Amino acid sequence: LYMEKSAPHALQALSEDTLIRLFGLKGLSFKTPSYLNTGLIDLQVNGYKGVDFCSEELTRESFIYACTELLTEGGCCAIMPTIITSPMSAYAKVLPIIASVIEDSPISERLLGIHLEGPFISPVPGAVGCHRTECVVAADLAILKELQALARG
């Protein structure tokens, strides 16, 4: 559903306050044009607008910025941030940031969790895809528990 303040249709009469109340978009700004929809959910978002969710340069602010931009401009009503196979130092940096935003931010309700693609994937050429082969590890319960702790469950 497309909404533009100058367009002569039903949504034109709804104020931003009403849209926020009806659709739960609290904390997000409306940009013209804005899109409202009832179902586009992206379950694999590696980043947006130049912000890489796997980067050790990620900050809480840059993560919120990228997610907010995607949620307001990208046509998604909910997303799942995705982390690809990475060094443990990257997981240690980004997972707590993402978890903190999921737990407490204006966009918390629209972040569905964390999609962790590795590190327990096949290292076989072709199967490993774009993942860094040197970061792939065999399934290990201790590492899984560490990743869960970093992501706060």
Side-chain angles (χ1 to χ4, degrees):
L1 183 58
Y2 183 75
M3 179 188 76
E4 185 171 306
K5 291 181 181 178
S6 63
H9 52 67
L11 283 181
Q12 183 179 7
L14 296 177
S15 70
E16 287 183 14
D17 289 342
T18 301
L19 289 169
I20 289 168
R21 184 175 44 78
L22 290 175
F23 296 104
L25 303 177
K26 183 179 179 184
L28 299 177
S29 64
F30 287 83
K31 296 180 180 180
T32 301
S34 293
Y35 297 88
L36 296 177
N37 63 64
T38 58
L40 296 179
I41 298 171
D42 194 334
L43 299 177
Q44 183 173 344
V45 179
N46 298 94
Y48 192 70
K49 295 261 180 151
V51 178
D52 178 356
F53 297 165
C54 296
S55 171
E56 292 186 52
E57 305 297 316
L58 187 72
T59 64
R60 180 178 167 87
E61 293 74 24
S62 66
F63 179 71
I64 290 173
Y65 164 77
C67 291
T68 301
E69 289 294 303
L70 181 55
L71 291 166
T72 56
E73 293 182 347
C76 292
C77 62
I79 62 173
M80 187 171 292
T82 301
I83 307 303
I84 65 168
T85 305
S86 300
M88 285 305 291
S89 60
Y91 294 125
K93 169 70 178 193
V94 303
L95 290 176
I97 290 171
I98 296 170
S100 75
V101 174
I102 290 171
E103 289 174 349
D104 182 31
S105 76
I107 58 173
S108 292
E109 294 177 357
R110 299 175 72 191
L111 301 178
L112 304 177
I114 301 172
H115 175 177
L116 193 59
E117 289 192 328
F120 313 120
I121 62 173
S122 172
V124 174
V128 75
C130 69
H131 295 264
R132 294 171 55 182
T133 307
E134 70 274 13
C135 297
V136 173
V137 298
D140 182 300
L141 188 56
I143 294 173
L144 177 61
K145 287 180 179 183
E146 182 179 353
L147 294 171
Q148 284 184 310
L150 288 167
R152 300 181 187 164

